[in-house]
Amino acid sequence: MAFTLPPLPYDYTTLEPHIDARTMEIHHTKHHQTYVTNLNAAISKFPELNGLGLVGLNKAAGTEKIPKDIATAIRNHGGGHYNHSLFWKVMTGPTDSNGPSADLKAAIDSAFGSFEAFKEKFNAAATTRFGSGWAWLVVQEDGKLAVTSTANQDNPLQMAIVDTPGIPILGLDVWEHAYYLKYQASRPGYISAWWNVAPKREATDPVVT
């Protein structure tokens, strides 16, 4: 079964003024669609991989489960499809962004000392990621939370590739295409504004199929 571009759970204008509608439209219909299209092209050569699903493909990236002919495509385009599918879900309109649930806040307080301390660490991961990539909040295998970042379209599910594997529950896209139309070269300005539309805890689902 071919992968498809998931619809946004809100209008392109919903995140304004913090993320503009034109950026959202291009990001969703052009960039994300390209990852879906290229992932489907790669999988079509090895239909036996269809049963893995999106999460399974990402977990298998960098391992012998993925044929060498499409290893790079799965890593890049499978990662891009998963990352964006989660990214859309963790955001919401500014008036609906009420922060994490009580359980998640308690876990954040335990891991980082406070939500503000967590934000500072997350912002640092996003700001200092060299070039294109992502910042993440993940649940590690031992159940503890951690902040990490990855290059390009890598993600913490790709355990054979990344330094800090885990299940992503919050991800921030810091590729320039995510913010350049509005914020130009100010990645910190974009990161600061992003907290006005994230996280929407009710929609944060670590399992994207």
Side-chain angles (χ1 to χ4, degrees):
M1 180 181 295
F3 293 104
T4 59
L5 181 69
L8 291 186
Y10 37 73
D11 295 331
Y12 292 126
T13 59
T14 298
L15 306 184
E16 290 189 331
H18 308 289
I19 302 180
D20 60 286
R22 183 60 177 154
T23 293
M24 287 298 295
E25 182 178 6
I26 295 172
H27 200 171
H28 181 241
T29 64
K30 302 300 183 184
H31 293 282
H32 191 174
Q33 180 63 67
T34 296
Y35 294 122
V36 173
T37 300
N38 291 338
L39 177 60
N40 283 332
I43 293 296
S44 69
K45 302 173 184 177
F46 298 91
E48 65 273 17
L49 297 178
N50 283 331
L52 287 179
L54 185 55
V55 170
L57 283 171
N58 276 273
K59 288 183 176 181
T63 74
E64 294 181 353
K65 292 181 180 179
I66 304 299
K68 291 182 180 180
D69 290 356
I70 61 168
T72 299
I74 295 301
R75 177 177 180 173
N76 292 339
H77 302 296
H81 183 24
Y82 174 86
N83 297 351
H84 287 87
S85 296
L86 179 64
F87 184 52
W88 311 135
K89 285 189 172 186
V90 302
M91 297 188 291
T92 188
T95 60
D96 297 324
S97 182
N98 296 318
S101 66
D103 288 345
L104 179 57
K105 186 177 185 307
I108 287 173
D109 289 346
S110 176
F112 305 104
S114 68
F115 188 77
E116 288 305 312
F118 153 66
K119 280 181 62 176
E120 184 176 345
K121 186 165 187 170
F122 189 93
N123 288 352
T127 302
T128 60
R129 165 48 57 188
F130 181 75
S132 301
W134 293 74
W136 303 97
L137 174 65
V138 303
V139 180
Q140 300 178 99
E141 188 176 5
D142 60 6
K144 295 180 179 179
L145 297 179
V147 167
T148 187
S149 71
T150 57
N152 302 316
Q153 293 298 345
D154 291 349
N155 65 58
L157 289 178
Q158 299 172 339
M159 297 179 183
I161 295 170
V162 298
D163 295 329
T164 307
I167 299 174
I169 58 174
L170 191 66
L172 172 58
D173 188 347
V174 293
W175 283 63
E176 285 189 344
H177 64 241
Y179 62 87
Y180 202 82
L181 288 182
K182 183 174 179 66
Y183 296 96
Q184 285 78 55
S186 179
R187 183 188 288 185
Y190 158 68
I191 295 167
S192 177
W194 180 75
W195 288 106
N196 291 291
V197 295
K200 183 182 180 184
R201 181 54 197 143
E202 309 92 280
T204 303
D205 182 355
V207 179
V208 176
T209 56

